[in-house]
Amino acid sequence: MMMIEINPRKTLLFSFIFFIFVEVIICFGLLQEVEHQQNNGSLNNFDHQLRSFVLRQGQEEVIDAMPTQPKPEPPKQKIPHNLIFTYKNNILETGKPVHFFKNVQHTIDEYRSAWGDTEARVVFLDDPACVSNITAVFPELVKYFQRERYGGYKADICRLAFLYLHGGYYFDVDLEVISPFVPDGNVTFVSARDIYNSYFFQAILFTSQGNPIIKESLQKEFDYYERRLRFKDKNAHIGPLTMQMAFDSLPSAEERGGPVVLLNEIALKDDNEHIYPNVTRYSQSWLCNVVVHDEARGNVHFRSRVEGSTHCPFRRGDINR
């Protein structure tokens, strides 16, 4: 009988080559499966097979072939999408004054578009609604609201009460939106400094619910009516000044409830036509050309007074009055 001599080295080499060949065949098959699964819009089966293959090779750790990263959720806005206005009557119901009605509707349309939220809540605060909100948050102020004869001061108290209870975006009915300003999601307070940098220009006031600055402003308003707070200037703007005092009494971001953005008023005059040249200049009063801008980014967002308001009369022959 013929004896066949087996060379251990050759046998080992042959086994190794055969093993590599088998592995190549398996990998080729898996690649074909990937292509098939991709064509069918799913990699779930392949992922399962690859997990099994890895385990068969004695690996202790299961490796995800196609790891999926969850999409980060957009940051939740600290300032809710409430559009808030005040006037002695609900302009959206009466449609009058016409120029204010058109301006308020323009503000609503611009912000709903900017937010991508066509159903954003609109709140119009007339006197009965104001009393209801003031009663809920600071009942001691109700009597002073009802006694106050100047509409601007009544509006100061009313908007503070609503903003503290609900938060949102407050606009004066005569503030014209040029380009909506939408703050970052973590911002909790937005307003503007007046043209003289003396106090707050509260025609725009965006705040979070329960904002500490608003709470302190309500307290300052109450102190004023209780005669615990006095101003040297008899013509002082009570609301803007009390808010300035409230803001200054809360020096840190933590005390203010979070990040704050302050825009600035600026007058567009004949001698600075190079500044925002694309913004229309009106001729009837320089106050018509006061705008609110984001100085850091170089953007104009609001005109402080729409045509037809107290300090910005209509142009002669204007058919839109």
Side-chain angles (χ1 to χ4, degrees):
M1 179 181 296
M2 182 180 295
M3 299 294 293
I4 299 175
E5 183 178 357
I6 299 176
N7 189 323
R9 291 185 178 180
K10 290 183 179 181
T11 301
L12 182 61
L13 179 61
F14 177 81
S15 298
F16 178 76
I17 293 172
F18 179 78
F19 176 79
I20 295 298
F21 177 77
V22 170
E23 294 295 315
V24 169
I25 294 298
I26 292 173
C27 289
F28 180 79
L30 289 174
L31 290 173
Q32 292 293 318
E33 181 66 13
V34 169
E35 182 177 357
H36 174 72
Q37 294 292 344
Q38 285 179 330
N39 291 335
N40 286 280
S42 172
L43 288 174
N44 291 335
N45 291 336
F46 170 69
D47 186 39
H48 174 73
Q49 291 177 17
L50 186 57
R51 288 170 184 262
S52 300
F53 173 73
V54 172
L55 287 173
R56 287 199 305 270
Q57 303 311 306
Q59 300 290 334
E60 294 181 358
E61 181 180 1
V62 177
I63 302 172
D64 283 324
M66 300 292 290
T68 56
Q69 297 294 331
K71 293 182 179 180
E73 294 184 3
K76 185 177 180 180
Q77 297 288 319
K78 294 291 183 68
I79 302 177
H81 291 174
N82 297 322
L83 294 164
I84 308 155
F85 306 89
T86 63
Y87 200 65
K88 57 187 175 182
N89 54 59
N90 190 332
I91 293 174
L92 292 177
E93 292 180 355
T94 64
K96 296 179 181 180
V98 174
H99 58 291
F100 286 163
F101 170 76
K102 290 181 178 179
N103 187 58
V104 168
Q105 193 59 60
H106 172 72
T107 300
I108 294 169
D109 293 343
E110 286 290 309
Y111 267 85
R112 281 180 167 176
S113 176
W115 292 332
D117 183 1
T118 59
E119 301 298 324
R121 181 187 183 192
V122 177
V123 179
F124 216 105
L125 298 169
D126 54 14
D127 279 4
C130 287
V131 170
S132 176
N133 282 278
I134 298 166
T135 300
V137 67
F138 208 131
E140 296 86 352
L141 269 170
V142 172
K143 62 182 179 181
Y144 295 119
F145 173 83
Q146 293 173 327
R147 293 174 187 173
E148 180 60 66
R149 294 184 178 183
Y150 179 56
Y153 292 169
K154 291 171 74 77
D156 288 340
I157 301 171
C158 180
R159 63 173 162 240
L160 290 176
F162 184 90
L163 285 169
Y164 186 76
L165 285 173
H166 306 283
Y169 287 62
Y170 169 83
F171 305 88
D172 276 0
V173 296
D174 62 350
L175 179 91
E176 179 184 352
V177 176
I178 295 175
S179 174
F181 178 80
V182 179
D184 293 338
N186 65 332
V187 171
T188 59
F189 181 94
V190 177
S191 191
R193 302 305 304 270
D194 80 300
I195 192 170
Y196 303 109
N197 200 32
S198 300
Y199 46 77
F200 279 88
F201 177 63
Q202 295 184 108
I204 57 165
L205 188 56
F206 313 158
T207 80
S208 58
Q209 183 183 30
N211 189 279
I213 301 171
I214 300 301
K215 180 180 180 180
E216 188 62 25
S217 295
L218 283 164
Q219 182 62 54
K220 297 295 184 188
E221 289 270 357
F222 181 67
D223 291 343
Y224 166 76
Y225 284 107
E226 287 280 297
R227 301 183 182 277
R228 292 197 292 263
L229 189 61
R230 295 287 189 176
F231 299 107
K232 294 180 180 179
D233 184 359
K234 293 182 179 180
N235 297 316
H237 299 281
I238 306 304
L241 285 174
T242 51
M243 177 162 287
Q244 182 67 59
M245 295 175 68
F247 186 85
D248 292 341
S249 71
L250 303 169
S252 70
E254 182 179 359
E255 290 173 296
R256 293 169 180 168
V260 167
V261 173
L262 294 180
L263 305 175
N264 297 91
E265 276 194 310
I266 183 175
L268 304 181
K269 300 180 180 180
D270 292 338
D271 59 355
N272 64 2
E273 291 183 350
H274 62 286
I275 300 176
Y276 305 122
N278 295 327
V279 178
T280 302
R281 264 77 163 172
Y282 296 134
S283 59
Q284 60 270 45
S285 169
W286 73 272
L287 288 170
C288 296
N289 298 318
V290 176
V291 298
V292 177
H293 72 141
D294 181 348
E295 187 174 6
R297 293 182 172 85
N299 296 323
V300 173
H301 293 285
F302 309 99
R303 190 181 297 274
S304 299
R305 297 162 188 85
V306 71
E307 284 190 287
S309 56
T310 303
H311 299 292
C312 181
F314 286 111
R315 287 165 287 179
R316 184 174 297 178
D318 194 328
I319 62 174
N320 293 315
R321 64 180 66 195

